[in-house]
Each structure stands twice: as C-alpha cells, then as structure tokens.
Amino acid sequence: DVKVTQSSRYLVKRTGEKVFLECVQDMDHENMFWYRQDPGLGLRLIYFSYDVKMKEKGDIPEGYSVSREKKERFSLILESASTNQTSMYLCASRGTGIPYEQYFGPGTRLTVT
Amino acid sequence: EDKVVQSPLSLVVHEGDTVTLNCSYEVTNFRSLLWYKQEKKAPTFLFMLTSSGIEKKSGRLSSILDKKELFSILNITATQTGDSAIYLCAVEPHSGSARQLTFGSGTQLTVLP
C-alpha cells in the first residue's frame, strides 16, 4: 500500500514564525503536491514537484515556498506565517504510470495566531 | 483555466436514501475525471473515469461520465451513516508536467440514522 505521511497532524504557530511542513512518500513517486483545503473552496494547489529539485507554482503560491532535495520528501515552507494561512494542508504523491490517482497524506491542521 | 463545479455543496439524507452528486467541468484537453471520498482524514480514491457512458461501480457507489455535456455523477444507493463524508471531484488534463489535478469544492454529505 502507498503510504504518504506528514510530520504533524496539528500545529499552532504565531504570526511571523517560519513554519515547515514535511511530507514523505514510500512509493518512489515522481510527482508530489501540496494543497490547502478551506471550507467551501475545496482543495487548492499551492506547489507541486515532478522530480527532485524541480518545482512549479500551483494556483495559490503566494506566501509559500517548497523544497525537494530527495525524491521521497517534499517540504512546504511558510516564510512568515500569517493568520490567513490558517488551514488544513494536504500532501499528495502520484507516479507516472498506473495507478494514476493521487495518494494523500492525513493532513496537517495549521493554526496561526 | 480549468474549472470544476460540484453540486450540491451539502446534502442531508436519512439512512436508506439514494443520493446523486454532480460534477461539471471545463478543462483544456481532458484526460480523466476522478472521485474521492474524504472523512476526517486523507481523501481516498473512489473512481477514475475516462470514457463517456461507461459506468464504474463499487458496491453501492457508481459513477458515470458524459464527455459531451462535460459532467459526471456519483450515485450512492441505500446510504449508511458511514457514507457521511466530503465527496471531491477532480479533473486531469493531458498537459501538465506532473499531471496535476483541479478539484471542485466538494459536496458535504451527511447521512442521519
């Protein structure tokens, strides 16, 4: 079974802090994704990566950066957390062949106070 | 810009009812449509649809795609309280370096005993 893990289930940070969210997958998938999920807005893509050290902006990259130094690990960084970044953050991975679906981690609920 | 619209946004039914969830989409160069179920954790994959008119079925859940009218429906018969979840629809284009998905806002289904 594909396993995608995220470093924390719940996180509380203060405004202005630097925040790291880590995601690890064990299926040697090339593609990894970071989403945020807010009520009524669904999943919105922040950044994705299709290979080590490769990254592309998604639909809402402002205020975020990412790092992919190893194939299995994809980190989301909030350089200076703000209250409007309070959200559920979901990581996903996907291979290039069958099966085609994305596999999701359990999510990190981040609260910025 | 790719777009996915789900309806209704929320639905409350009683056990034993049948429900139909809707997903309409606009996507450049459509490749597939996916349905996910999300309880209080990671979204889990339900179906992938690529061809019009072919029903995918898994137990009490079924889904069909209409590529001409650009929509899909997810049917759940004889609903149970365990079907309570957010149901997410996503589309995948042929293009994109990581074959990234565009998600709808989801339908929150609540099944009452």
Side-chain angles (χ1 to χ4, degrees), chain A residues 47-104:
Chain A
Y47 266 97
F48 63 95
S49 168
Y50 53 90
D51 202 349
V52 176
K53 296 192 187 294
M54 305 304 289
K55 59 188 178 186
E56 283 195 29
K57 294 179 180 179
D59 299 319
I60 51 164
E62 296 78 19
Y64 303 94
S65 62
V66 290
S67 172
R68 191 157 180 213
E69 297 296 318
K70 293 185 178 181
K71 192 174 186 180
E72 67 271 17
R73 190 179 297 267
F74 191 35
S75 301
L76 180 69
I77 303 154
L78 287 66
E79 294 289 342
S80 177
S82 64
T83 54
N84 63 13
Q85 293 178 310
T86 291
S87 187
M88 170 68 85
Y89 290 88
L90 289 163
C91 173
S93 74
R94 186 181 197 185
T96 54
I98 296 170
Y100 296 114
E101 67 264 26
Q102 288 187 11
Y103 294 87
F104 284 86

Side-chain angles (χ1 to χ4, degrees), chain A residues 9 31 33 35 37 40-43 45 48-50 56 59 90 94-97 100-106, chain B residues 1 9 31-32 34 36 38 40-45 48 86 88 92 97-106:
Chain A
R9 290 300 307 274
N31 306 301
F33 309 84
Y35 296 90
Q37 184 175 27
L41 297 176
L43 271 70
L45 183 63
F48 63 95
S49 168
Y50 53 90
E56 283 195 29
D59 299 319
L90 289 163
R94 186 181 197 185
T96 54
Y100 296 114
E101 67 264 26
Q102 288 187 11
Y103 294 87
F104 284 86
Chain B
E1 186 180 317
L9 291 181
R31 180 189 181 109
S32 66
L34 297 89
Y36 285 83
Q38 185 181 23
K40 292 187 189 297
K41 46 187 180 359
T44 53
F45 173 76
M48 171 183 274
I86 297 173
L88 297 163
E92 178 200 7
S97 46
R99 293 160 47 216
Q100 54 272 24
L101 303 176
T102 298
F103 282 85
S105 57

Side-chain angles (χ1 to χ4, degrees), chain B:
Chain B
E1 186 180 317
D2 298 343
K3 191 175 175 184
V4 178
V5 178
Q6 291 186 245
S7 63
L9 291 181
S10 65
L11 192 54
V12 180
V13 300
H14 287 92
E15 273 193 318
D17 288 349
T18 293
V19 298
T20 298
L21 310 184
N22 303 293
C23 175
S24 64
Y25 62 90
E26 296 172 22
V27 61
T28 304
N29 204 8
F30 175 88
R31 180 189 181 109
S32 66
L33 183 145
L34 297 89
W35 284 97
Y36 285 83
K37 176 183 181 182
Q38 185 181 23
E39 297 171 86
K40 292 187 189 297
K41 46 187 180 359
T44 53
F45 173 76
L46 293 174
F47 299 113
M48 171 183 274
L49 302 147
T50 56
S51 302
S52 241
I54 298 176
E55 186 183 51
K56 291 279 183 91
K57 200 170 169 66
S58 176
R60 296 175 295 102
L61 277 67
S62 63
S63 183
I64 198 159
L65 175 68
D66 186 328
K67 288 169 76 173
K68 185 179 176 186
E69 299 298 330
L70 307 182
F71 78 90
S72 174
I73 59 171
L74 176 68
N75 276 321
I76 309 175
T77 59
T79 52
Q80 302 171 357
T81 54
D83 295 326
S84 296
I86 297 173
Y87 290 84
L88 297 163
C89 173
V91 293
E92 178 200 7
H94 270 286
S95 58
S97 46
R99 293 160 47 216
Q100 54 272 24
L101 303 176
T102 298
F103 282 85
S105 57
T107 293
Q108 172 76 63
L109 174 65
T110 303
V111 182
L112 302 175

